[in-house]
Amino acid sequence: MLVLLPPSEGKAASGRGAPLRTESLSLPGLNAAREEVLTELVDLCGGDEDKARDVLGLSEGLRGEIAKNRELRTAGARPAGEIYTGVLYDALGLASLDAAAKRRAAKSLLVFSGLWGAVRVTDRIPSYRCSMGVKLPGLGALGAYWRAPMADVLPEAAGSGLVLDLRSAAYATAWKPKGEVAGRTATVRVLHAPTRKVVSHFNKATKGRIVRSLLTAGAAPKDPAELVEALRDLGYVVEAAARAGAAWALDVLVDEVH
């Protein structure tokens, strides 16, 4: 099972250890593209701060993020699972998983990123600010920029099993499963059962809890149909729409907004 996650806008501080080594990151086929984005982002943030703030879509209160990006090559790095924070990652609670579940997380979780393309939670990265919606002056819109490198690398990363796609729309633009991979992909939407509406906060929290439940239980569904059964066994209310040759659409219904 490969689980595709969005990153978080807010991130923990960089570590005090050794700085980033792009050659040590998972999915080495993305390294050339990573270096291009990294170089342009560092150069951008090393120049006119007002221009950098405009390109990155940052408020005046987030001006300090520019300095963070400027130091990306020398800042200490720490596991991506510690860098990403926020509602989904709080609910996922990687740090509190038992040893077996942590091993499963290291193998199955893939976090998409405007800067790195995609990283595993064990990859050591510095804290940064660069969303997939950014349009860098030299490379253009990052969602479009990453499509070719991702198309070369992600099908192999997906292997022959289930792909559970929990990415937000902006990050889904970087890679869309196609062909045979699409047929074993499932997307998830979390709905407030009484209203049948998506509410952002508990949508993210529930997705985090779903991943934690699967990791803790040691569930290993091989396709979307088995995922539906696994989630129901774990107590989730799931409605599924199977689509031939395309990703399954799963609705997880939640009574309480929390």
Side-chain angles (χ1 to χ4, degrees), residues 48-103:
D48 186 321
E49 283 198 0
D50 288 330
K51 177 182 178 180
R53 189 164 65 85
D54 183 61
V55 169
L56 297 175
L58 301 176
S59 66
E60 178 62 34
L62 292 173
R63 185 180 286 269
E65 299 291 283
I66 298 170
K68 179 190 295 185
N69 285 346
R70 191 163 55 236
E71 305 300 326
L72 281 171
R73 291 194 181 274
T74 56
R78 59 197 291 194
E82 297 177 11
I83 290 289
Y84 295 117
T85 60
V87 175
L88 187 152
Y89 291 90
D90 287 346
L92 172 53
L94 286 169
S96 62
L97 292 173
D98 63 34
K102 285 180 179 178
R103 288 193 295 271

Short mmCIF file of all heavy atoms in Angstrom, two decimals, residues 48-103:
data_model
loop_
_atom_site.label_atom_id
_atom_site.label_comp_id
_atom_site.label_asym_id
_atom_site.label_seq_id
_atom_site.Cartn_x
_atom_site.Cartn_y
_atom_site.Cartn_z
N ASP A 48 15.45 40.17 -3.76
CA ASP A 48 14.45 41.14 -3.31
C ASP A 48 13.38 40.44 -2.47
O ASP A 48 12.64 39.60 -2.97
CB ASP A 48 13.82 41.80 -4.54
CG ASP A 48 12.86 42.92 -4.19
OD1 ASP A 48 12.11 42.79 -3.21
OD2 ASP A 48 12.85 43.93 -4.93
N GLU A 49 13.30 40.80 -1.18
CA GLU A 49 12.35 40.12 -0.29
C GLU A 49 10.90 40.37 -0.67
O GLU A 49 10.06 39.48 -0.54
CB GLU A 49 12.59 40.54 1.16
CG GLU A 49 13.79 39.89 1.81
CD GLU A 49 13.75 39.98 3.32
OE1 GLU A 49 12.78 40.54 3.87
OE2 GLU A 49 14.70 39.47 3.96
N ASP A 50 10.60 41.56 -1.14
CA ASP A 50 9.21 41.85 -1.53
C ASP A 50 8.80 41.01 -2.73
O ASP A 50 7.67 40.51 -2.79
CB ASP A 50 9.05 43.34 -1.86
CG ASP A 50 9.11 44.22 -0.61
OD1 ASP A 50 8.70 43.73 0.47
OD2 ASP A 50 9.55 45.37 -0.71
N LYS A 51 9.71 40.84 -3.68
CA LYS A 51 9.42 39.97 -4.83
C LYS A 51 9.22 38.54 -4.37
O LYS A 51 8.28 37.86 -4.80
CB LYS A 51 10.55 40.05 -5.84
CG LYS A 51 10.35 39.12 -7.04
CD LYS A 51 11.52 39.18 -8.01
CE LYS A 51 11.32 38.20 -9.16
NZ LYS A 51 12.46 38.23 -10.12
N ALA A 52 10.11 38.06 -3.48
CA ALA A 52 10.00 36.68 -2.99
C ALA A 52 8.68 36.48 -2.25
O ALA A 52 8.02 35.45 -2.42
CB ALA A 52 11.18 36.36 -2.08
N ARG A 53 8.31 37.46 -1.45
CA ARG A 53 7.06 37.34 -0.69
C ARG A 53 5.86 37.28 -1.63
O ARG A 53 4.92 36.51 -1.41
CB ARG A 53 6.93 38.53 0.28
CG ARG A 53 5.78 38.41 1.26
CD ARG A 53 5.96 39.38 2.42
NE ARG A 53 5.89 40.76 2.01
CZ ARG A 53 4.75 41.45 1.88
NH1 ARG A 53 3.59 40.84 2.12
NH2 ARG A 53 4.76 42.70 1.52
N ASP A 54 5.91 38.05 -2.70
CA ASP A 54 4.82 38.06 -3.67
C ASP A 54 4.75 36.73 -4.41
O ASP A 54 3.67 36.15 -4.57
CB ASP A 54 5.03 39.21 -4.66
CG ASP A 54 3.90 39.31 -5.67
OD1 ASP A 54 2.74 39.52 -5.23
OD2 ASP A 54 4.16 39.18 -6.88
N VAL A 55 5.89 36.23 -4.85
CA VAL A 55 5.92 34.95 -5.59
C VAL A 55 5.41 33.81 -4.71
O VAL A 55 4.65 32.94 -5.17
CB VAL A 55 7.35 34.65 -6.09
CG1 VAL A 55 7.44 33.22 -6.61
CG2 VAL A 55 7.74 35.63 -7.18
N LEU A 56 5.82 33.79 -3.44
CA LEU A 56 5.45 32.71 -2.53
C LEU A 56 4.08 32.89 -1.92
O LEU A 56 3.58 32.00 -1.22
CB LEU A 56 6.50 32.57 -1.43
CG LEU A 56 7.91 32.19 -1.90
CD1 LEU A 56 8.89 32.20 -0.73
CD2 LEU A 56 7.92 30.84 -2.58
N GLY A 57 3.45 34.03 -2.15
CA GLY A 57 2.11 34.28 -1.62
C GLY A 57 2.09 34.42 -0.11
O GLY A 57 1.15 33.94 0.55
N LEU A 58 3.10 35.09 0.45
CA LEU A 58 3.23 35.21 1.90
C LEU A 58 2.73 36.57 2.38
O LEU A 58 2.97 37.59 1.74
CB LEU A 58 4.70 35.04 2.32
CG LEU A 58 5.37 33.72 1.95
CD1 LEU A 58 6.83 33.76 2.36
CD2 LEU A 58 4.65 32.55 2.61
N SER A 59 2.08 36.56 3.52
CA SER A 59 1.67 37.81 4.15
C SER A 59 2.89 38.48 4.78
O SER A 59 3.96 37.86 4.93
CB SER A 59 0.63 37.54 5.23
OG SER A 59 1.20 36.79 6.30
N GLU A 60 2.75 39.73 5.15
CA GLU A 60 3.85 40.45 5.79
C GLU A 60 4.30 39.73 7.06
O GLU A 60 5.49 39.67 7.38
CB GLU A 60 3.43 41.88 6.13
CG GLU A 60 4.48 42.70 6.84
CD GLU A 60 5.75 42.91 6.03
OE1 GLU A 60 5.65 43.02 4.80
OE2 GLU A 60 6.83 42.95 6.64
N GLY A 61 3.35 39.14 7.77
CA GLY A 61 3.68 38.45 9.01
C GLY A 61 4.50 37.19 8.80
O GLY A 61 5.09 36.67 9.75
N LEU A 62 4.56 36.70 7.56
CA LEU A 62 5.34 35.49 7.26
C LEU A 62 6.63 35.82 6.52
O LEU A 62 7.25 34.94 5.94
CB LEU A 62 4.49 34.53 6.42
CG LEU A 62 3.30 33.89 7.13
CD1 LEU A 62 2.44 33.08 6.16
CD2 LEU A 62 3.75 33.01 8.29
N ARG A 63 7.06 37.05 6.58
CA ARG A 63 8.29 37.46 5.91
C ARG A 63 9.49 36.62 6.37
O ARG A 63 10.42 36.37 5.61
CB ARG A 63 8.56 38.94 6.14
CG ARG A 63 9.75 39.49 5.38
CD ARG A 63 9.95 40.97 5.66
NE ARG A 63 8.95 41.77 5.00
CZ ARG A 63 9.09 42.28 3.77
NH1 ARG A 63 10.20 42.04 3.08
NH2 ARG A 63 8.15 43.03 3.23
N GLY A 64 9.46 36.16 7.63
CA GLY A 64 10.56 35.35 8.14
C GLY A 64 10.76 34.04 7.40
O GLY A 64 11.85 33.45 7.44
N GLU A 65 9.72 33.57 6.70
CA GLU A 65 9.84 32.35 5.91
C GLU A 65 10.84 32.52 4.76
O GLU A 65 11.44 31.55 4.30
CB GLU A 65 8.48 31.94 5.35
CG GLU A 65 7.42 31.65 6.41
CD GLU A 65 7.75 30.40 7.18
OE1 GLU A 65 7.53 29.31 6.64
OE2 GLU A 65 8.22 30.52 8.33
N ILE A 66 11.02 33.76 4.31
CA ILE A 66 11.96 34.02 3.22
C ILE A 66 13.38 33.74 3.69
O ILE A 66 14.18 33.10 2.98
CB ILE A 66 11.82 35.47 2.73
CG1 ILE A 66 10.41 35.68 2.16
CG2 ILE A 66 12.87 35.79 1.67
CD1 ILE A 66 10.07 37.12 1.86
N ALA A 67 13.70 34.19 4.89
CA ALA A 67 15.03 33.92 5.45
C ALA A 67 15.25 32.42 5.63
O ALA A 67 16.35 31.91 5.39
CB ALA A 67 15.21 34.66 6.77
N LYS A 68 14.20 31.72 6.03
CA LYS A 68 14.29 30.26 6.18
C LYS A 68 14.65 29.61 4.84
O LYS A 68 15.53 28.75 4.77
CB LYS A 68 12.95 29.72 6.69
CG LYS A 68 12.90 28.22 6.87
CD LYS A 68 11.48 27.73 7.13
CE LYS A 68 10.91 28.23 8.43
NZ LYS A 68 9.57 27.65 8.71
N ASN A 69 13.98 30.02 3.78
CA ASN A 69 14.27 29.46 2.46
C ASN A 69 15.68 29.80 1.98
O ASN A 69 16.32 29.01 1.29
CB ASN A 69 13.25 29.97 1.43
CG ASN A 69 11.89 29.31 1.56
OD1 ASN A 69 11.76 28.29 2.24
ND2 ASN A 69 10.90 29.89 0.92
N ARG A 70 16.13 30.98 2.35
CA ARG A 70 17.46 31.41 1.93
C ARG A 70 18.56 30.50 2.47
O ARG A 70 19.61 30.33 1.85
CB ARG A 70 17.67 32.85 2.41
CG ARG A 70 18.88 33.54 1.82
CD ARG A 70 18.79 35.05 1.99
NE ARG A 70 18.59 35.47 3.36
CZ ARG A 70 17.58 36.24 3.79
NH1 ARG A 70 16.67 36.67 2.93
NH2 ARG A 70 17.46 36.58 5.05
N GLU A 71 18.30 29.90 3.63
CA GLU A 71 19.31 29.08 4.30
C GLU A 71 19.10 27.58 4.11
O GLU A 71 19.67 26.77 4.83
CB GLU A 71 19.30 29.40 5.81
CG GLU A 71 19.48 30.86 6.15
CD GLU A 71 20.79 31.43 5.65
OE1 GLU A 71 21.78 30.67 5.65
OE2 GLU A 71 20.82 32.62 5.27
N LEU A 72 18.31 27.19 3.12
CA LEU A 72 17.93 25.78 2.98
C LEU A 72 19.12 24.84 2.80
O LEU A 72 19.08 23.70 3.27
CB LEU A 72 16.98 25.62 1.78
CG LEU A 72 15.52 26.01 2.05
CD1 LEU A 72 14.72 26.02 0.76
CD2 LEU A 72 14.90 25.05 3.05
N ARG A 73 20.16 25.28 2.16
CA ARG A 73 21.29 24.39 1.91
C ARG A 73 22.18 24.19 3.13
O ARG A 73 22.97 23.24 3.17
CB ARG A 73 22.13 24.90 0.73
CG ARG A 73 21.40 24.79 -0.61
CD ARG A 73 22.35 24.98 -1.77
NE ARG A 73 21.66 24.89 -3.05
CZ ARG A 73 21.41 23.76 -3.71
NH1 ARG A 73 21.80 22.62 -3.18
NH2 ARG A 73 20.79 23.78 -4.88
N THR A 74 22.06 25.07 4.11
CA THR A 74 22.92 24.95 5.30
C THR A 74 22.14 24.66 6.58
O THR A 74 22.74 24.29 7.60
CB THR A 74 23.73 26.25 5.50
OG1 THR A 74 22.83 27.37 5.60
CG2 THR A 74 24.69 26.47 4.34
N ALA A 75 20.83 24.79 6.55
CA ALA A 75 20.02 24.53 7.74
C ALA A 75 20.07 23.06 8.12
O ALA A 75 20.23 22.18 7.26
CB ALA A 75 18.58 24.95 7.50
N GLY A 76 19.95 22.78 9.40
CA GLY A 76 19.88 21.39 9.84
C GLY A 76 18.64 20.70 9.30
O GLY A 76 17.62 21.34 9.04
N ALA A 77 18.74 19.41 9.10
CA ALA A 77 17.61 18.63 8.57
C ALA A 77 17.13 17.64 9.63
O ALA A 77 17.88 17.24 10.52
CB ALA A 77 18.03 17.89 7.31
N ARG A 78 15.86 17.26 9.52
CA ARG A 78 15.28 16.26 10.40
C ARG A 78 14.26 15.46 9.61
O ARG A 78 13.86 15.87 8.52
CB ARG A 78 14.66 16.91 11.64
CG ARG A 78 13.57 17.90 11.33
CD ARG A 78 13.25 18.82 12.49
NE ARG A 78 12.61 18.11 13.59
CZ ARG A 78 11.99 18.74 14.60
NH1 ARG A 78 11.93 20.07 14.62
NH2 ARG A 78 11.42 18.06 15.56
N PRO A 79 13.81 14.31 10.08
CA PRO A 79 12.86 13.51 9.29
C PRO A 79 11.63 14.31 8.90
O PRO A 79 11.08 15.08 9.70
CB PRO A 79 12.51 12.36 10.25
CG PRO A 79 13.71 12.23 11.12
CD PRO A 79 14.20 13.64 11.34
N ALA A 80 11.18 14.11 7.67
CA ALA A 80 10.01 14.84 7.17
C ALA A 80 8.80 14.62 8.06
O ALA A 80 7.96 15.52 8.22
CB ALA A 80 9.71 14.41 5.74
N GLY A 81 8.68 13.44 8.65
CA GLY A 81 7.56 13.16 9.54
C GLY A 81 7.56 14.02 10.78
O GLY A 81 6.52 14.15 11.45
N GLU A 82 8.70 14.63 11.11
CA GLU A 82 8.78 15.58 12.22
C GLU A 82 8.62 17.02 11.75
O GLU A 82 8.20 17.88 12.52
CB GLU A 82 10.12 15.43 12.94
CG GLU A 82 10.34 14.06 13.58
CD GLU A 82 11.71 13.94 14.21
OE1 GLU A 82 12.42 14.96 14.35
OE2 GLU A 82 12.09 12.80 14.56
N ILE A 83 8.95 17.28 10.50
CA ILE A 83 8.83 18.64 9.95
C ILE A 83 7.38 19.01 9.70
O ILE A 83 6.94 20.11 10.02
CB ILE A 83 9.64 18.75 8.63
CG1 ILE A 83 11.15 18.70 8.92
CG2 ILE A 83 9.27 20.02 7.87
CD1 ILE A 83 11.71 19.93 9.60
N TYR A 84 6.61 18.09 9.13
CA TYR A 84 5.22 18.40 8.79
C TYR A 84 4.35 18.33 10.03
O TYR A 84 4.39 17.35 10.78
CB TYR A 84 4.71 17.45 7.70
CG TYR A 84 5.43 17.64 6.39
CD1 TYR A 84 6.19 16.61 5.82
CD2 TYR A 84 5.38 18.85 5.71
CE1 TYR A 84 6.86 16.79 4.63
CE2 TYR A 84 6.06 19.04 4.51
CZ TYR A 84 6.80 18.01 3.97
OH TYR A 84 7.46 18.20 2.80
N THR A 85 3.56 19.38 10.23
CA THR A 85 2.69 19.49 11.40
C THR A 85 1.27 19.78 10.92
O THR A 85 0.96 19.61 9.75
CB THR A 85 3.19 20.60 12.33
OG1 THR A 85 3.18 21.84 11.61
CG2 THR A 85 4.60 20.33 12.83
N GLY A 86 0.40 20.23 11.79
CA GLY A 86 -0.95 20.58 11.37
C GLY A 86 -1.95 19.50 11.68
O GLY A 86 -1.63 18.46 12.26
N VAL A 87 -3.19 19.73 11.27
CA VAL A 87 -4.33 18.91 11.68
C VAL A 87 -4.16 17.45 11.28
O VAL A 87 -4.32 16.54 12.09
CB VAL A 87 -5.63 19.48 11.10
CG1 VAL A 87 -6.81 18.57 11.41
CG2 VAL A 87 -5.89 20.89 11.65
N LEU A 88 -3.84 17.19 10.01
CA LEU A 88 -3.72 15.81 9.55
C LEU A 88 -2.60 15.09 10.29
O LEU A 88 -2.77 13.95 10.74
CB LEU A 88 -3.48 15.80 8.03
CG LEU A 88 -3.49 14.42 7.34
CD1 LEU A 88 -3.92 14.57 5.89
CD2 LEU A 88 -2.13 13.72 7.41
N TYR A 89 -1.46 15.76 10.42
CA TYR A 89 -0.30 15.11 11.04
C TYR A 89 -0.46 14.96 12.55
O TYR A 89 0.05 13.99 13.14
CB TYR A 89 0.99 15.84 10.66
CG TYR A 89 1.30 15.65 9.20
CD1 TYR A 89 0.81 16.53 8.24
CD2 TYR A 89 2.01 14.55 8.76
CE1 TYR A 89 1.04 16.33 6.89
CE2 TYR A 89 2.26 14.33 7.41
CZ TYR A 89 1.76 15.22 6.48
OH TYR A 89 1.99 15.00 5.14
N ASP A 90 -1.18 15.88 13.17
CA ASP A 90 -1.49 15.72 14.60
C ASP A 90 -2.36 14.48 14.81
O ASP A 90 -2.15 13.71 15.74
CB ASP A 90 -2.20 16.95 15.14
CG ASP A 90 -1.28 18.15 15.30
OD1 ASP A 90 -0.05 17.96 15.24
OD2 ASP A 90 -1.80 19.27 15.48
N ALA A 91 -3.35 14.29 13.93
CA ALA A 91 -4.24 13.13 14.05
C ALA A 91 -3.50 11.83 13.71
O ALA A 91 -3.75 10.79 14.32
CB ALA A 91 -5.46 13.29 13.14
N LEU A 92 -2.60 11.90 12.78
CA LEU A 92 -1.80 10.73 12.41
C LEU A 92 -0.86 10.32 13.53
O LEU A 92 -0.69 9.12 13.82
CB LEU A 92 -1.01 11.04 11.13
CG LEU A 92 0.03 10.05 10.64
CD1 LEU A 92 -0.54 8.64 10.51
CD2 LEU A 92 0.61 10.52 9.30
N GLY A 93 -0.26 11.29 14.20
CA GLY A 93 0.57 11.02 15.38
C GLY A 93 1.70 10.04 15.15
O GLY A 93 1.83 9.05 15.87
N LEU A 94 2.54 10.32 14.19
CA LEU A 94 3.63 9.40 13.85
C LEU A 94 4.51 9.07 15.04
O LEU A 94 4.91 7.92 15.23
CB LEU A 94 4.49 10.01 12.74
CG LEU A 94 3.90 10.02 11.32
CD1 LEU A 94 4.75 10.87 10.41
CD2 LEU A 94 3.78 8.60 10.78
N ALA A 95 4.81 10.06 15.86
CA ALA A 95 5.75 9.85 16.97
C ALA A 95 5.23 8.85 17.99
O ALA A 95 6.02 8.18 18.66
CB ALA A 95 6.06 11.17 17.66
N SER A 96 3.91 8.73 18.12
CA SER A 96 3.34 7.85 19.14
C SER A 96 2.96 6.47 18.61
O SER A 96 2.41 5.65 19.35
CB SER A 96 2.11 8.51 19.77
OG SER A 96 1.09 8.72 18.80
N LEU A 97 3.25 6.19 17.34
CA LEU A 97 2.99 4.86 16.81
C LEU A 97 3.94 3.84 17.44
O LEU A 97 5.07 4.18 17.82
CB LEU A 97 3.19 4.85 15.29
CG LEU A 97 2.19 5.63 14.44
CD1 LEU A 97 2.66 5.65 12.99
CD2 LEU A 97 0.79 5.05 14.55
N ASP A 98 3.51 2.59 17.52
CA ASP A 98 4.42 1.56 18.01
C ASP A 98 5.45 1.25 16.92
O ASP A 98 5.36 1.72 15.78
CB ASP A 98 3.67 0.31 18.46
CG ASP A 98 2.89 -0.38 17.35
OD1 ASP A 98 3.36 -0.38 16.19
OD2 ASP A 98 1.82 -0.95 17.63
N ALA A 99 6.46 0.47 17.27
CA ALA A 99 7.58 0.24 16.37
C ALA A 99 7.14 -0.38 15.04
O ALA A 99 7.62 0.01 13.97
CB ALA A 99 8.61 -0.65 17.04
N ALA A 100 6.23 -1.34 15.10
CA ALA A 100 5.79 -2.00 13.87
C ALA A 100 5.04 -1.03 12.97
O ALA A 100 5.24 -1.01 11.75
CB ALA A 100 4.90 -3.20 14.21
N ALA A 101 4.18 -0.20 13.57
CA ALA A 101 3.43 0.78 12.78
C ALA A 101 4.36 1.83 12.19
O ALA A 101 4.14 2.30 11.07
CB ALA A 101 2.36 1.43 13.64
N LYS A 102 5.41 2.22 12.91
CA LYS A 102 6.38 3.17 12.37
C LYS A 102 7.10 2.59 11.16
O LYS A 102 7.37 3.30 10.18
CB LYS A 102 7.39 3.56 13.45
CG LYS A 102 6.84 4.53 14.48
CD LYS A 102 7.90 4.88 15.51
CE LYS A 102 7.36 5.88 16.53
NZ LYS A 102 8.32 6.21 17.58
N ARG A 103 7.40 1.29 11.21
CA ARG A 103 8.04 0.66 10.04
C ARG A 103 7.09 0.69 8.84
O ARG A 103 7.52 0.93 7.71
CB ARG A 103 8.45 -0.77 10.38
CG ARG A 103 9.65 -0.87 11.32
CD ARG A 103 10.21 -2.27 11.36
NE ARG A 103 9.26 -3.23 11.94
CZ ARG A 103 9.20 -3.50 13.24
NH1 ARG A 103 9.99 -2.88 14.10
NH2 ARG A 103 8.32 -4.40 13.69
#
